[in-house]
Amino acid sequence: MRTVFVFPAGERDQTIASLDRHLSHQREPWTLDGNLYIDIDDEETGCLFSDWDSEDMAILEAAVGHHPGWAVQIDISGRIDGTAEVHHLVAMLLEHGGVVMDDYTAHPWTLPEILSGAVIDGLRFFDFRGYHKHGRS
């Protein structure tokens, strides 16, 4: 299972409403085609940041301008490539700003970077193929 954490600009309730609109008839967790599992995680009642190191936290906090207390966690099944689905969902969640972090870089990706195909540290957003091709672990 691969994971991305989305930190949308705006309020948690707005993000939940957007997920409800786009992924109707389900809620907390939401799914997309049975291959993406979407939930809200937070520090207060969940496990958000429980295994993050301090350097990654500092990078995230600098990107968003504060310490975020919640995120949208997207788990991607290994049964599918998932790139198109993740890009689509992240574009919807970051429509009004924010960042997303994937398993492959410590970079907080913005929507313009993702859409342009920007390369950071030799990888694009959610570039699991490039990550494994270059033997990173």
Side-chain angles (χ1 to χ4, degrees), residues 8-28:
E11 298 298 320
R12 181 177 180 154
D13 291 343
Q14 293 170 313
T15 298
I16 290 171
S18 181
L19 286 166
D20 286 344
R21 274 192 311 276
H22 291 90
L23 303 170
S24 59
H25 308 297
Q26 53 189 318
R27 189 173 213 205
E28 297 184 53

Side-chain angles (χ1 to χ4, degrees), residues 14-69:
Q14 293 170 313
T15 298
I16 290 171
S18 181
L19 286 166
D20 286 344
R21 274 192 311 276
H22 291 90
L23 303 170
S24 59
H25 308 297
Q26 53 189 318
R27 189 173 213 205
E28 297 184 53
W30 298 265
T31 63
L32 180 63
D33 300 328
N35 293 308
L36 270 61
Y37 306 93
I38 304 117
D39 207 354
I40 306 289
D41 195 9
D42 62 44
E43 286 185 293
E44 189 174 315
T45 61
C47 299
L48 185 62
F49 305 130
S50 63
D51 61 351
W52 288 45
D53 65 39
S54 58
E55 186 177 315
D56 289 342
M57 285 301 307
I59 292 168
L60 173 63
E61 290 169 359
V64 298
H66 65 283
H67 179 89

